[in-house]
Amino acid sequence: MIAPSAPNPLINGHHRPLDPPRQHLFWTLHLAGWSACFGLGYLPAIAYEKPAGYWVVPLTATITGAAVTLGLRYLFHACWSLPPRKLLATMTVPILASSAVMDLVTRKVMLEFCATCAPTNRAAYIAYALSYIYVVMAWVGLYIGIKYYRQLQDETQRALAARSMAHQAQLKMLRYQLNPHFLFNTLNAISTLILDRDNPTANRMVQGLSAFLTVCCLAPAMRQPPRVRPHPI
């Protein structure tokens, strides 16, 4: 009896055992990235001998940035099926707004330590609103790059799964061809050769039949079966 093939994890919608869940991977990278952003923002404060409580400023920027980029993530998820140009045009305003929100919230905290940091004209407001655009763009670039990379992995796994299913179908076709009439005719031919005392030919036919049965019934499902040349009677 032929053992059923193992279920394909990609077809059944399950991740491989060594693959972390995608939600877990996102949160790990998201929190690690914004923690690093906090560290990079606090180091200049130490270098320039800012007041002791100045750590609140980079912490506020970090928390605000983590929150607004979560909103960008859901927008990307909703608009991901759009063509690249339309996706870029759709996400331009939310990206600029994210930078402006980060600056607005952070600057309110910063004014407690630097009263002269308030913008005085429209150009200053625009410059301050874009002060965190490089951070938001770095997050967007990493998010898109990782998402495309995971999609490429999925496409590769689907192609391998389809090839495996094709090989399994070929094996099933060979098994279906192996019917009782084939076995009866082959064994009858071997019996005739033995009665005619043609033992070498009969032995070669037995070996050929054994190889054919091995290919049809015991070959791994992921391996393409080799071709067995029938021995002429």
Side-chain angles (χ1 to χ4, degrees), residues 71-91:
L72 290 179
R73 181 199 181 197
Y74 289 113
L75 287 177
F76 270 115
H77 182 73
C79 303
W80 192 253
S81 59
L82 296 176
R85 291 185 179 180
K86 290 185 178 180
L87 178 64
L88 179 61
T90 304
M91 296 302 301

Side-chain angles (χ1 to χ4, degrees), residues 86-109:
K86 290 185 178 180
L87 178 64
L88 179 61
T90 304
M91 296 302 301
T92 298
V93 174
I95 290 173
L96 295 176
S98 299
S99 174
V101 170
M102 287 185 63
D103 175 73
L104 179 64
V105 176
T106 305
R107 194 158 301 280
K108 288 183 178 181
V109 179

Side-chain angles (χ1 to χ4, degrees), residues 65 129 166 192 194:
T192 302
I194 294 175

Side-chain angles (χ1 to χ4, degrees), residues 39-90:
L40 293 175
Y42 188 53
L43 286 178
I46 299 176
Y48 289 102
E49 298 181 353
K50 294 290 184 180
Y54 193 81
W55 59 269
V56 178
V57 176
L59 180 63
T60 303
T62 299
I63 295 175
T64 308
V68 296
T69 48
L70 280 180
L72 290 179
R73 181 199 181 197
Y74 289 113
L75 287 177
F76 270 115
H77 182 73
C79 303
W80 192 253
S81 59
L82 296 176
R85 291 185 179 180
K86 290 185 178 180
L87 178 64
L88 179 61
T90 304

Side-chain angles (χ1 to χ4, degrees), residues 88-166:
L88 179 61
T90 304
M91 296 302 301
T92 298
V93 174
I95 290 173
L96 295 176
S98 299
S99 174
V101 170
M102 287 185 63
D103 175 73
L104 179 64
V105 176
T106 305
R107 194 158 301 280
K108 288 183 178 181
V109 179
M110 186 184 297
L111 290 177
E112 298 179 3
F113 301 92
C114 178
T116 60
C117 293
T120 56
N121 52 53
R122 184 176 299 178
Y125 274 105
I126 296 175
Y128 285 147
L130 297 177
S131 59
Y132 288 99
I133 190 65
Y134 68 95
V135 180
V136 179
M137 289 301 297
W139 184 93
V140 169
L142 288 173
Y143 179 80
I144 293 177
I146 294 174
K147 194 170 181 67
Y148 273 121
Y149 173 73
R150 295 304 295 264
Q151 283 188 345
L152 180 61
Q153 282 189 327
D154 290 344
E155 292 294 334
T156 302
Q157 292 178 5
R158 277 193 287 268
L160 292 176
R163 184 178 301 176
S164 173
M165 292 176 64

